[in-house]
Amino acid sequence: MRFDELDLEYDVLDALDAMHFTECTPIQEQAIDVVLDGHDLIAVAQTGTGKTAAYLLPVINMLARDEDDTPGIKCVVMVPTHELAQQIDRQMEGFSYFLPISSVAIHGGSDGKDFARQQNGLRRGADVVIATPGRLMAHMKMGYVDFSHVKYFVLDEADRMLDMGFSDDIFQIESRLPRERQTLLFSATMPAKIQQLASRILDNPVEVKIAVSRPTEKIDQSAFVCHEGQKAGILKHLFKTAHSQRVIVFAASKLKVKDLSRELRKSGWKSGEMHSDLEQNRREEVMHDFRAGRLDIIVATDILARGIDIDDITMVVNFDVPREAEDYVHRIGRTARAGAGGKAVTLVSERDRSKFRYIEQFLGYEVRKEAVPEELGSAPDYNRPEGDRRRGGGRGDKRRQGGRDDRRRRKPADAGASKATAKPAVDAAQAPEAAGKPKRKKRRYYHHRPKREGGAQG
């Protein structure tokens, strides 16, 4: 469907035309008419499907038609991160370019001047407030935020906001809004906690669900099955042989991000890091340096997996396998954007094989496996069943070659000789109590076995 087939105002269509937006994405096609008809909405769609326009366009359209010109906040959009708040505010400016509709982005990490700008926008009653929950709560506690004119309440990336611990803030903000309003909830997934949230704040909503799409064929996907200690070496091998510029590396924790980025910088790579411990201004500096080419690599948590538009990423590396298949799609979707190609590589350790198999089941095909560079040593067998230690390389083999685990399962060829070698027999006359306790001697034998040639101390 084309945008000019929807019931949108000419000023909105002119803005879309100026931005070269012509055809709707599936979520836009299904959601915009529902919102224009005044229904509450639950929309399940992954990042990159155009969901921001799916709620901004109808809200702008209804504000343009509204004959009530009383100053005040008309719409509140809640988002999980300041980056997403800024991005949506920029899109808001574009979509409303030919209309007298104002907006303000409310988020943390800003300086005193920016805080004053946010404060002024809330006091004067910007039409649309795009805010992170924590910073909006901080303004509300200062007593100058008036929600009495709010008609539209939007939760964007609701699942991520709940994962980040914003549920209490969301409920407090929602309790201050008028009961008579239209509520729109957008989420990439629909777990039980999102269903509970929806049941509390939405009124008879229409549900729109866009299936999580498979990654575009323009992404060259591959994986290295490796030991955990081989990952850093494989990463550096990739930078030397594939891509070393415009790369995002996703790791599972903030600590791992910090350590890995530090190691890459020591090795001479222009690397930055992105995680929730960074102050707002530092995050903006990192993203600005990356876009400007002063940084070639960003090591990040999933804070960069969704909601950030960078069009020329050449390679995405999953240093750790993501927890969910949807997270895998979001991560590698950072590359091959705007019609370009890209490369996505996942490093699969032994403990993550089952998670990656689940991702492959979701994708419907097996991701190509690459050979670990010979100089990094042998790699585990991807197809070996979980818990099977009889095959494969690495540390496990050393334990099985004469180590304790193997010896405990074997019965000595000559048990009597072994016992005599282990400890001289105790004379019953010297220790009569010992003669009646052979079982205790046997247990002691297993706990105090002497060192064998070629083996480890038992």
Side-chain angles (χ1 to χ4, degrees), residues 3-63:
F3 283 108
D4 55 18
E5 298 179 69
L6 297 170
D7 186 21
L8 298 174
E9 295 292 304
Y10 286 120
D11 288 333
V12 177
L13 292 174
D14 287 343
L16 289 170
D17 183 63
M19 298 169 70
H20 305 290
F21 282 36
T22 55
E23 295 185 355
C24 303
T25 65
I27 187 63
Q28 293 164 359
E29 181 175 342
Q30 296 188 42
I32 289 177
D33 277 338
V34 172
V35 179
L36 290 174
D37 288 341
H39 298 287
D40 282 9
L41 173 70
I42 298 175
V44 181
Q46 70 187 83
T47 299
T49 55
K51 58 184 176 55
T52 303
Y55 62 77
L56 281 186
L57 290 175
V59 166
I60 292 171
N61 202 75
M62 291 184 291
L63 290 176

Side-chain angles (χ1 to χ4, degrees), residues 5 51 53 101 118 291 310 334 364 410 436:
E5 298 179 69
K51 58 184 176 55
I101 296 175
Q118 297 176 15
R291 289 189 172 100
I310 307 174
R334 297 301 92 197
R410 293 202 307 262

Side-chain angles (χ1 to χ4, degrees), residues 122-299:
L122 291 169
R123 285 183 182 275
R124 297 181 61 181
D127 294 307
V128 179
V129 171
I130 304 151
T132 55
R135 179 46 63 96
L136 184 57
M137 285 291 297
H139 283 286
M140 290 167 58
K141 290 175 182 177
M142 299 178 75
Y144 48 77
V145 181
D146 180 10
F147 287 143
S148 61
H149 299 287
V150 171
K151 298 180 179 181
Y152 312 103
F153 183 41
V154 182
L155 297 175
D156 195 357
E157 296 201 5
D159 54 345
R160 193 173 174 194
M161 283 194 284
L162 296 191
D163 287 341
M164 295 171 69
F166 287 134
S167 57
D168 290 342
D169 289 346
I170 290 172
F171 286 127
Q172 289 190 51
I173 293 167
E174 186 271 339
S175 68
R176 296 276 299 274
L177 303 179
R179 302 289 295 179
E180 295 296 323
R181 66 170 192 272
Q182 189 174 358
T183 304
L184 315 174
L185 186 152
F186 286 76
S187 181
T189 58
M190 198 65 180
K193 58 187 177 182
I194 292 295
Q195 297 174 13
Q196 294 169 3
L197 172 65
S199 66
R200 289 183 59 174
I201 69 173
L202 276 74
D203 180 23
N204 193 27
V206 174
E207 294 190 19
V208 172
K209 186 171 183 180
I210 305 298
V212 177
S213 60
R214 303 301 186 263
T216 173
E217 293 181 357
K218 293 183 178 180
I219 302 177
D220 176 26
Q221 299 178 62
S222 63
F224 287 84
V225 181
C226 58
H227 297 296
E228 188 69 27
Q230 295 172 320
K231 286 185 175 182
I234 295 173
L235 189 63
K236 294 174 184 178
H237 168 79
L238 285 171
F239 293 157
K240 292 177 182 178
T241 60
H243 299 282
S244 61
Q245 294 180 330
R246 316 300 291 161
V247 178
I248 297 179
V249 179
F250 287 105
S253 68
K254 292 181 287 187
L255 179 60
K256 190 173 290 187
V257 166
K258 295 174 186 177
D259 291 343
L260 183 57
S261 183
R262 188 183 307 113
E263 183 176 348
L264 291 174
R265 287 194 296 269
K266 287 181 179 179
S267 299
W269 305 102
K270 294 191 292 183
S271 171
E273 60 191 61
M274 182 67 70
H275 49 78
S276 59
D277 281 353
L278 295 181
E279 295 293 336
Q280 173 70 27
N281 57 353
R282 180 56 187 153
R283 292 193 208 178
E284 293 177 2
E285 288 176 8
V286 171
M287 294 306 299
H288 187 267
D289 288 346
F290 188 61
R291 289 189 172 100
R294 289 187 287 272
L295 290 175
D296 293 328
I297 302 160
I298 288 187
V299 186

Side-chain angles (χ1 to χ4, degrees), residues 328-339:
Y328 176 84
V329 175
H330 289 310
R331 284 184 182 185
I332 72 171
R334 297 301 92 197
T335 189
R337 298 171 72 88

